[in-house]
Amino acid sequence: AFLGGWTLNSITKAIERLDNDVRNMPHSYVNKDDYRGDIKEVKDMLGKIFDKLDTKVDKCTGLMSS
């Protein structure tokens, strides 16, 4: 009887902990399409930054070789 009571009590506590964990999880998630769109925007911005940096490097190396 003791072992059965202890087991049942342990299972009940574990279920309560799981229930609390699930309730504390975020309630909203990013849509996959929104995420992809945002990442594309970031990559496009980074591409523009790198293009500008490449242009500046080209100008600097052009000045040094003259």
Side-chain angles (χ1 to χ4, degrees), residues 2 4 11-12 15 18-20 35 48 52 56-57 65-66:
F2 170 76
I11 291 172
T12 303
I15 289 173
L18 283 172
D19 185 51
N20 286 334
Y35 174 77
K48 289 177 184 177
K52 285 184 180 184
K56 294 218 180 265
V57 168
S65 62
S66 332

Side-chain angles (χ1 to χ4, degrees), residues 4-15:
W6 179 82
T7 303
L8 187 59
N9 188 30
S10 296
I11 291 172
T12 303
K13 286 182 180 180
I15 289 173

Side-chain angles (χ1 to χ4, degrees), residues 1-3 7-9 12-13 17 22 25-26 28 33 44-45 49 52-53 57 59-60 63:
F2 170 76
L3 185 59
T7 303
L8 187 59
N9 188 30
T12 303
K13 286 182 180 180
R17 283 194 307 268
V22 168
M25 290 175 71
S28 60
D33 292 330
D44 290 344
M45 282 189 266
I49 291 169
K52 285 184 180 184
L53 287 173
V57 168
K59 286 181 182 177
C60 286
L63 291 174

Side-chain angles (χ1 to χ4, degrees), residues 22-62:
V22 168
R23 290 180 192 274
N24 291 328
M25 290 175 71
H27 295 285
S28 60
Y29 297 92
V30 176
N31 183 321
K32 196 181 268 187
D33 292 330
D34 291 342
Y35 174 77
R36 286 183 178 147
D38 291 345
I39 291 298
K40 183 180 179 335
E41 287 180 35
V42 170
K43 287 181 178 180
D44 290 344
M45 282 189 266
L46 286 172
K48 289 177 184 177
I49 291 169
F50 287 129
D51 289 344
K52 285 184 180 184
L53 287 173
D54 287 342
T55 303
K56 294 218 180 265
V57 168
D58 292 342
K59 286 181 182 177
C60 286
T61 55

